Amino acid sequence: MRDRPTSPSLHTAWLNTPWRRWYPAAVARPAMSPAWWTWVASRDSLTARLIAAADGRPFRVRLLDQRIGRPSNDEARALGLKPRERAWLREVALCIDERPWVVARSVVPLAKLHGQRLDRLGERSLGHWLFRQPDLERGPIEVTQATAGFHDGHGPWGRRSMFHHGRFAVLVQEFFLDTMAAELSLPPR
Ligand SMILES: C=C(O[C@@H]1C=C(C(=O)O)C=C[C@H]1O)C(=O)O
């Protein structure tokens, strides 16, 4: 069942943003301020970090879209999928005070779901479930940056990594937005 996007404008804007290719985080580090590096390279839960940064303001996972579909070619390559192989796709906005700070897109090959009923997650954080798994393993973090369009010439930073829990595997992609930079007084890059 497809959960209808609750914010088509944000959903469309983000999906239509051209992103550069992905780099190992360490390669991108020289181009990134230490303040951003703290966020982009952290290996713990982004949900937990955002809740802490919200400093008591309400945090919400806003479900934009969730369905079985075809990953992008880039995602299929990262997941080692055949070109037309389908996957479980989830897109959310992580919001503080109803303002999106991060948009995220997670992709699980159907063959890697192993009975996990993630369609029941709704607006609970995927991270909240992932970081409760004692055998959770996180792969290396890769970084990208949007080309112009989102933010006067400086696109936001994006990051992705694989999470493994037993035979379950998910590619989690997170894109940090201007709202977050402004709220936390982070530099453009
Ligand atoms: C992986 C995490 O889960 C977060 C929550 C997501 C969701 O609910 O779909 C997606 C990406 C993450 O930003 C995390 O908190 O670190």
Side-chain angles (χ1 to χ4, degrees), residues 78-98:
L79 288 161
L81 295 182
K82 299 184 190 68
R84 305 188 63 78
E85 196 169 339
R86 300 193 318 153
W88 177 78
L89 310 172
R90 172 179 167 93
E91 292 161 8
V92 300
L94 305 182
C95 304
I96 308 287
D97 255 350
E98 292 304 311

Side-chain angles (χ1 to χ4, degrees), residues 26-104:
V27 169
R29 184 170 192 174
M32 198 183 295
S33 64
W36 271 115
W37 178 257
T38 304
W39 283 95
V40 171
S42 67
R43 296 182 63 80
D44 52 17
S45 168
L46 181 59
T47 298
R49 282 180 174 261
L50 288 173
I51 291 170
D55 199 20
R57 289 174 290 176
F59 169 82
R60 178 188 166 200
V61 175
R62 194 199 310 171
L63 186 59
L64 300 179
D65 192 15
Q66 184 168 278
R67 58 193 158 84
I68 302 291
R70 279 183 54 197
S72 68
N73 293 338
D74 179 54
E75 293 163 341
R77 273 193 304 273
L79 288 161
L81 295 182
K82 299 184 190 68
R84 305 188 63 78
E85 196 169 339
R86 300 193 318 153
W88 177 78
L89 310 172
R90 172 179 167 93
E91 292 161 8
V92 300
L94 305 182
C95 304
I96 308 287
D97 255 350
E98 292 304 311
R99 300 184 71 209
W101 283 27
V102 175
V103 285

Side-chain angles (χ1 to χ4, degrees), residues 44-48 61 90 92 94 102 104 106 124-128 130-131 138 159 163 172 174:
D44 52 17
S45 168
L46 181 59
T47 298
V61 175
R90 172 179 167 93
V92 300
L94 305 182
V102 175
S106 302
R124 284 171 296 162
S125 164
L126 173 63
H128 184 66
L130 280 173
F131 283 91
R138 183 171 200 164
R159 70 175 190 167
F163 287 87
V172 175
E174 297 152 322

Side-chain angles (χ1 to χ4, degrees), residues 83-160:
R84 305 188 63 78
E85 196 169 339
R86 300 193 318 153
W88 177 78
L89 310 172
R90 172 179 167 93
E91 292 161 8
V92 300
L94 305 182
C95 304
I96 308 287
D97 255 350
E98 292 304 311
R99 300 184 71 209
W101 283 27
V102 175
V103 285
R105 176 173 157 106
S106 302
V107 184
V108 182
L110 296 185
K112 293 284 183 185
L113 263 175
H114 292 293
Q116 298 299 345
R117 292 303 310 270
L118 298 180
D119 53 316
R120 294 177 177 166
L121 260 181
E123 296 207 338
R124 284 171 296 162
S125 164
L126 173 63
H128 184 66
W129 175 76
L130 280 173
F131 283 91
R132 282 210 314 266
Q133 307 313 318
D135 63 342
L136 184 72
E137 291 178 6
R138 183 171 200 164
I141 292 179
E142 294 179 300
V143 174
T144 188
Q145 197 175 22
T147 57
F150 245 88
H151 313 257
D152 17 287
H154 286 303
W157 291 106
R159 70 175 190 167
R160 74 180 184 181

Side-chain angles (χ1 to χ4, degrees), residues 166-183:
R167 295 183 300 162
F168 171 83
V170 56
L171 174 68
V172 175
Q173 305 164 102
E174 297 152 322
F175 301 89
F176 299 92
L177 303 179
D178 242 0
T179 326
M180 177 174 166
E183 291 274 357

